Amino acid sequence: MKTKIAIACQGGGAETAFTAGALQALFEAGIDKEFEIVSLGGTSGGAVCASLIWYALQNGEQPVWQRLLDFWTESNRPKSMQEHLFNQFTVTWSRMVGRGYMPTFEVSPYSPVAKFLYDMATTFHRKTFKDFEEALKAHIDFDRIRDWGPRDERPVLVIGAAGVLSGKSFRQSRSATMPIGMACLPTTRRSRPCVARYMSARATFPTKSG
């Protein structure tokens, strides 16, 4: 009888691309053959990684980690000159702020001025590069998940988000619709309508392995 385990992936924005590499190494080493993975979960970017692995497992895809790597290398990697310039500017600015060379500007994601400036700066970018939801939809078929309905097959996907108005946390273990709200950090992204509620990021990890 295989030992039951749950995999919880840490958050950290784009740094969770390292999580993708770790998951690839684990599945290449045969973790799914040596152990019974009963649940996958995580927070923020880790929830995205967990969702992509879960979706691949549910589809019976091989290699399991290919869809996850495609998400990070195709949607999140700059390709055009405009995307490269935008990416370089963002990285350089963040480093200078972190070192104290530049001031930090806190701008509400609901600000029409901020939205206008962002839209102008990303006019010629691919939708999957500038829009998180479009990037996720390019690699997960949400309509197919809805067609599946409730599934008892393991592993289950366990991720969650917080209701903006109520402050309550919501956990979901049947589909991958939560990552859209899960990755919406209140200071940088607008909350998103998800499962009939507006969600923002909150950490949730698998709690049961049996």
Side-chain angles (χ1 to χ4, degrees):
M1 185 176 179
K2 295 182 180 179
T3 301
K4 297 177 180 179
I5 64 170
I7 298 177
C9 304
Q10 70 177 35
E15 292 181 2
T16 50
F18 290 101
T19 303
L23 288 170
Q24 177 185 355
L26 287 171
F27 280 94
E28 283 182 330
I31 188 173
D32 54 330
K33 297 177 177 61
E34 184 176 352
F35 301 96
E36 180 186 354
I37 305 173
V38 297
S39 63
L40 288 157
T43 180
S44 192
V48 173
C49 291
S51 298
L52 288 158
I53 287 290
W54 173 84
Y55 185 73
L57 287 169
Q58 295 296 314
N59 277 332
E61 298 174 6
Q62 292 295 332
V64 173
W65 41 263
Q66 189 60 57
R67 184 178 292 271
L68 175 59
L69 292 195
D70 288 345
F71 172 81
W72 286 107
T73 57
E74 292 180 9
S75 297
N76 287 277
R77 178 179 292 174
K79 293 185 177 181
S80 67
M81 180 185 68
Q82 292 88 347
E83 290 175 357
H84 276 285
L85 290 173
F86 179 82
N87 187 69
Q88 187 60 46
F89 171 80
T90 303
V91 171
T92 302
W93 181 275
S94 298
R95 288 175 177 172
M96 293 181 72
V97 169
R99 293 169 183 170
Y101 298 148
M102 298 292 291
T104 301
F105 296 101
E106 295 291 343
V107 181
S108 169
Y110 295 91
S111 167
V113 175
K115 183 180 184 304
F116 172 78
L117 292 175
Y118 180 79
D119 289 342
M120 288 292 292
T122 59
T123 299
F124 299 104
H125 296 184
R126 291 165 296 141
K127 284 186 177 180
T128 54
F129 182 74
K130 66 179 181 180
D131 189 305
F132 168 73
E133 185 173 354
E134 290 295 328
L136 200 57
K137 285 181 177 179
H139 299 278
I140 295 179
D141 187 343
F142 289 94
D143 291 332
R144 186 175 186 187
I145 292 174
R146 281 190 287 271
D147 291 339
W148 285 345
R151 308 194 85 180
D152 296 326
E153 293 90 344
R154 292 179 174 177
V156 296
L157 179 65
V158 185
I159 55 179
V164 172
L165 299 179
S166 67
K168 295 180 180 180
S169 61
F170 300 92
R171 189 174 66 185
Q172 186 153 316
S173 58
R174 293 199 306 241
S175 75
T177 55
M178 279 288 189
I180 297 173
M182 187 63 204
C184 289
L185 298 177
T187 56
T188 60
R189 292 181 180 272
R190 294 188 177 197
S191 59
R192 304 305 300 267
C194 183
V195 198
R197 301 181 179 90
Y198 281 85
M199 301 295 186
S200 191
R202 185 181 182 90
T204 302
F205 297 94
T207 55
K208 286 188 176 181
S209 61

